[in-house]
């Protein structure tokens, strides 16, 4: 049963899916499997930012956002809260941001294929998120470090990612779901450039790319530092705002369809 954070329930929630692997889950401030517990102002809780827990309960968002989702690793600061607070700062029309953490560290893009446990969990949590009202507005995706290990995975990345997005849009009954992916800042293997090429060259409509190259890394050389995660969150907010049609030019702007909560619920429930 989906519960809600009572004082913040409303149909104006901007629901944002967070998916991918460890840099979306958040390792900012984590060194030697220990989180330093430091939360910058940009990532501090806000009454207007919610988080969907593993138990499908809406609650006030606080770091680490993925603490009960990415449970086999130590989670720290990620980009989600910084994204939400930056978004509300940039656009006063955004009343609430409701984050749906789904990222799992160390995962390959093949593990997010349709029908896999990770994919199914993402869809289930998306379905649950809309039952209390609100609209899914976008998915933030940061993944690919694990696909830099072998040349085969790196070469297959573009096709696998595009299939993932196509399938997710079909299953969420949202054919132009905005997807904002992050081009890698690092990787677990030697084929970082190949995966980055795939990410920067994605050809699907309404898929945007934010480049993390050059952002500060933790001492492990793989994960973004806390300041880098904050910067990335702000970059993602800026990119997200580009997906929203300008009201001044609404006749000519590319419109992003809203998520049809009721039809999705009945479609999934009937499976």
């Amino acid at each position: 049963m989906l519960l809600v954070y009572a004082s913040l329930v409303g149909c104006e929630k901007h629901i944002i899916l967070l998916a991918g692997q460890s840099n979306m889950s958040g390792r900012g401030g984590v060194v030697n499997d220990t989180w330093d517990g430091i939360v910058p102002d940009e990532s501090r809780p806000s009454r207007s930012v919610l988080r969907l827990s593993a138990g499908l309960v809406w609650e006030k968002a606080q770091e680490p956002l993925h603490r009960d989702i990415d449970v086999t690793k130590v989670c720290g600061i990620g980009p989600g809260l910084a994204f939400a607070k930056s978004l509300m700062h940039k656009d006063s029309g955004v009343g609430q941001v409701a984050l749906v953490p789904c990222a799992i560290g160390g995962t390959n893009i093949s593990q997010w294929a349709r029908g896999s446990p990770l994919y199914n969990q993402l869809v289930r949590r998306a379905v649950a998120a809309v039952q209390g009202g609100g609209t899914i507005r976008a998915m933030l995706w940061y993944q690919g470090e694990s696909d830099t290990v072998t040349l085969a995975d790196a070469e297959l990345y573009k096709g696998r990612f595009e299939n993932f997005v196509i399938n997710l849009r079909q299953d969420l009954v949202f054919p132009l779901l905005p997807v904002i992916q992050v081009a890698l800042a690092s990787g677990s293997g030697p084929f970082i450039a190949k995966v980055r090429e795939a990410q920067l060259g994605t050809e699907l409509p309404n898929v945007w790319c934010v480049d993390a190259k050059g952002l500060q890394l933790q001492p492990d050389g793989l994960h973004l530092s806390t300041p880098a995660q904050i910067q990335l969150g702000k970059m993602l907010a800026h990119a997200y705002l580009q997906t929203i049609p300008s009201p001044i030019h609404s006749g000519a702007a590319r419109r992003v369809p809203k998520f049809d909560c009721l039809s999705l619920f009945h479609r999934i429930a009937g499976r």
Side-chain angles (χ1 to χ4, degrees):
M1 178 179 180
L2 178 67
L3 302 178
V4 294
Y5 191 69
S7 65
L8 290 175
V9 174
C11 292
E12 296 305 315
K13 290 200 298 288
H14 279 59
I15 299 172
I16 305 292
L17 308 177
L18 309 177
Q21 59 181 111
S22 56
N23 272 315
M24 177 58 75
S25 172
R27 299 292 187 266
V30 176
V31 178
N32 296 327
D33 294 326
T34 301
W35 179 43
D36 60 18
I38 297 174
V39 181
D41 288 343
E42 296 92 337
S43 293
R44 291 192 182 279
S46 165
R47 187 175 181 276
S48 298
V49 184
L50 306 179
R51 166 192 178 271
L52 189 66
S53 73
L56 305 181
V57 177
W58 283 119
E59 58 189 18
K60 183 185 289 188
Q62 62 181 15
E63 297 286 8
L65 288 179
H66 281 77
R67 59 188 176 275
D68 58 353
I69 301 296
D70 192 9
V71 295
T72 65
K73 302 291 184 179
V74 176
C75 296
I77 304 295
L81 250 168
F83 161 85
K85 295 182 73 173
S86 178
L87 177 61
M88 291 187 298
H89 177 74
K90 292 174 179 289
D91 186 348
S92 59
V94 178
Q96 296 176 11
V97 179
L99 304 171
V100 183
C102 299
I104 303 292
T107 53
N108 187 287
I109 186 65
S110 63
Q111 294 177 266
W112 291 87
R114 187 187 233 164
S116 68
L118 291 178
Y119 182 91
N120 291 343
Q121 175 177 261
L122 172 59
V123 172
R124 283 196 302 268
R125 287 176 61 76
V127 172
V130 299
Q131 290 182 36
T135 300
I136 290 184
R137 303 284 181 163
M139 179 178 70
L140 308 185
W141 174 261
Y142 192 168
Q143 187 278 332
E145 293 92 342
S146 295
D147 293 87
T148 67
V149 176
T150 71
L151 180 59
D153 278 343
E155 290 180 334
L156 290 169
Y157 191 88
K158 185 173 184 286
R160 286 173 172 174
F161 172 73
E162 291 181 350
N163 285 336
F164 163 69
V165 172
I166 291 168
N167 290 333
L168 184 65
R169 286 171 167 175
Q170 289 176 348
D171 289 339
L172 295 185
V173 199
F174 196 165
L176 282 178
L177 168 71
V179 175
I180 306 172
Q181 69 168 328
V182 181
L184 296 181
S186 60
S188 301
F191 300 106
I192 299 172
K194 179 69 70 174
V195 174
R196 279 178 47 82
E197 179 184 355
Q199 294 169 329
L200 293 167
T202 300
E203 299 172 352
L204 292 178
N206 235 30
V207 174
W208 306 67
C209 192
V210 168
D211 197 350
K213 187 176 182 179
L215 293 181
Q216 183 185 60
L217 299 174
Q218 296 278 73
D220 62 11
L222 181 62
H223 297 109
L224 296 185
S225 68
T226 293
Q229 288 284 16
I230 301 304
Q231 185 176 348
L232 178 61
K234 294 177 179 179
M235 293 163 63
L236 288 165
H238 176 77
Y240 169 76
L241 288 172
Q242 310 312 303
T243 74
I244 302 175
S246 167
I248 299 175
H249 304 290
S250 58
R254 176 174 59 187
R255 294 184 178 274
V256 178
K258 286 190 174 182
F259 187 91
D260 186 342
C261 309
L262 187 59
S263 69
L264 171 63
F265 176 74
H266 287 305
R267 176 174 174 176
I268 299 296
R271 286 184 173 179

